[in-house]
Amino acid sequence: MSQLFLIVAAILGGTGVMLGAFAAHGLKSKLSENLLSAFETGVTYQFYHALALFALALWLKQSHSVWFVASGYLWLAGVILFSGSLYALALTSIKWFGPITPLGGLLFIAGWLSLLVGAVKLGAGS
C-alpha cells in the first residue's frame, strides 16, 4: 500500500505543478477571476493532499493500520471529486459540477477523521 500511495502522491504532486502553471500562464487571460480562483483552489487542495498522502505512505512503512489506508483512499477520492469538479467547472462553466465539490470536501474530512481514529488507536496500542 505504501508504494501505491507514494506513486499516487508523485502523480498528484506532478500534475498539481502542471495544472498550476497551466492556470497561471494559459488560463489567466481566458477565465473570469472567479473561475480562475476556483481552478487555483482545486490545485491548492490537490497539493495539500498529495503531501499528506506522501507522508502517510512513509508512515505506512512503519505502522500498518486499516484506518491509515482508509485515509489515503478517502483523500484520493476527495482530490478526484473536489479538485476535479473545480477544474471541470472552471474549464467548462457547466454549473452542475459545483454541487460535486462539497462531496469531495466531505471525503477529505472523512480521510482526516480516519487518520485521527488510526492515531488514537495506535496510541492506545490496538
Side-chain angles (χ1 to χ4, degrees):
M1 198 53 53
S2 179
Q3 182 181 13
L4 174 65
F5 285 164
L6 281 172
I7 291 167
V8 171
I11 291 168
L12 291 178
T15 57
V17 171
M18 290 183 258
L19 290 167
F22 177 58
H25 301 290
L27 296 178
K28 195 169 192 171
S29 63
K30 294 179 174 48
L31 296 181
S32 70
E33 191 173 316
N34 285 345
L35 290 177
L36 184 61
S37 177
F39 194 96
E40 290 171 343
T41 297
V43 171
T44 300
Y45 276 78
Q46 180 175 331
F47 265 120
Y48 289 156
H49 290 87
L51 292 172
L53 194 59
F54 175 74
L56 181 68
L58 295 179
W59 182 257
L60 282 170
K61 288 185 164 287
Q62 303 295 322
S63 174
H64 183 77
S65 164
V66 67
W67 292 100
F68 295 158
V69 173
S71 292
Y73 282 117
L74 288 163
W75 291 336
L76 176 57
V79 168
I80 292 166
L81 291 181
F82 184 89
S83 297
S85 66
L86 289 176
Y87 301 148
L89 174 66
L91 295 174
T92 67
S93 296
I94 297 173
K95 300 291 183 207
W96 63 263
F97 283 115
I100 297 171
T101 308
L103 298 174
L106 289 173
L107 291 171
F108 285 150
I109 293 166
W112 289 103
L113 289 174
S114 182
L115 183 70
L116 174 63
V117 171
V120 168
K121 286 188 171 286
L122 183 68
S126 28

